[in-house]
Amino acid sequence: MTSMLRISLNASPEQVQRLQALQSGFAQVCNALAPLVQQTRVWNRVALHHLAYRQLREQFPEMGSQMVCNAIYSVSRTCRMVFQHPDSPFSLQRLGSKPLPLLRFADSCPVYFDRHTLSLKAGQLSMFTLDGRMRFQLTLRPEDEQAFHTSKLREIVLARRADSVYELSFLLAPLDVATPVVPLLAAAPATALVTEAPEGVSGEIPEYIIVEEAS
């Protein structure tokens, strides 16, 4: 069973604007990639990287190389959820030979980070934004630190909650589970440790995804 470490960011109005700009820019990269998935039926992360990375880097130079890679991961992850999960209304089993619908990412879509775009040292969180690094001072609880040391880090996600507060989530898996590891930190910040299944396990379409069916 996976668990989620969450932390709410105490962001100033200026920092919120920067996070909104990053979120919107990340959605733009995802939306530039989505038509390629629709046309080619390719959403394997490695294959998508080979198909689109260079063009996306040229089209969105402000995003940087690693954040473009993270957007490719986001699109690949979302497509697996929408087109492969048997409970999805748009799974390949249901679509058959019909054209794939086009996925559109709203500006509220989550932003994925990795060790190159987010780091923590001496209680200070440093994260990539479109106009330079943003830093937050954090206080870690001992149980959160312990949970991070004894787990594998699978994903790092920034999202805006319904109350407009930005929150970072760290998806962790037990050390004996054979899952991809995202090397990042010696410890992770959190305000809550929640045991839960990964997003999309129910086959529901995330609210930040708009599905445009082919005519």
Side-chain angles (χ1 to χ4, degrees):
M1 179 67 71
T2 59
S3 60
M4 189 79 75
L5 285 170
R6 303 182 187 276
I7 180 171
S8 301
L9 297 179
N10 185 19
S12 67
E14 184 269 339
Q15 288 175 320
V16 168
Q17 289 182 354
R18 292 172 65 185
L19 292 174
Q20 287 175 332
L22 174 63
Q23 201 173 19
S24 176
F26 194 86
Q28 289 178 29
V29 180
C30 293
N31 284 326
L33 182 56
L36 181 63
V37 173
Q38 183 190 34
Q39 296 161 13
T40 64
R41 287 186 168 233
V42 172
W43 57 81
N44 174 273
R45 182 182 60 83
V46 175
L48 270 184
H49 182 97
H50 287 303
L51 284 174
Y53 172 77
R54 181 172 297 180
Q55 179 180 344
L56 291 174
R57 281 288 287 124
E58 293 175 354
Q59 188 174 353
F60 302 98
E62 71 282 359
M63 293 301 293
S65 59
Q66 196 58 43
M67 196 54 78
V68 166
C69 291
N70 293 343
I72 293 171
Y73 169 80
S74 176
V75 172
S76 172
R77 183 188 191 282
T78 303
C79 288
R80 291 199 309 271
M81 187 190 313
V82 175
F83 299 134
Q84 290 183 210
H85 197 287
D87 292 337
S88 168
F90 304 101
S91 67
L92 291 181
Q93 294 177 352
R94 301 182 186 218
L95 288 175
S97 60
K98 295 180 181 178
L100 291 185
L102 176 65
L103 303 186
R104 293 201 178 276
F105 291 70
D107 285 348
S108 58
C109 74
V111 179
Y112 288 83
F113 288 86
D114 66 303
R115 66 186 179 90
H116 300 289
T117 52
L118 188 148
S119 62
L120 178 68
K121 184 176 181 180
Q124 187 178 77
L125 178 74
S126 173
M127 59 191 302
F128 171 91
T129 70
L130 298 181
D131 55 353
R133 286 269 171 168
M134 184 184 297
R135 292 174 172 81
F136 295 92
Q137 197 65 36
L138 305 173
T139 301
L140 306 179
R141 300 184 308 176
E143 57 266 38
D144 297 333
E145 238 183 283
Q146 181 64 23
F148 199 94
H149 279 299
T150 57
S151 304
K152 290 181 179 180
L153 178 60
R154 294 181 60 188
E155 289 181 345
I156 312 162
V157 186
L158 174 73
R160 195 174 190 182
R161 301 189 320 216
D163 60 3
S164 297
V165 173
Y166 276 98
E167 182 179 77
L168 277 170
S169 301
F170 299 82
L171 182 63
L172 305 172
L175 286 174
D176 59 347
V177 175
T179 54
V181 181
V182 183
L184 174 68
L185 316 170
T191 56
L193 176 60
V194 182
T195 300
E196 57 182 32
E199 177 192 1
V201 71
S202 66
E204 295 181 0
I205 308 300
E207 61 181 11
Y208 56 83
I209 293 296
I210 301 167
V211 182
E212 296 183 0
E213 297 188 64
S215 56

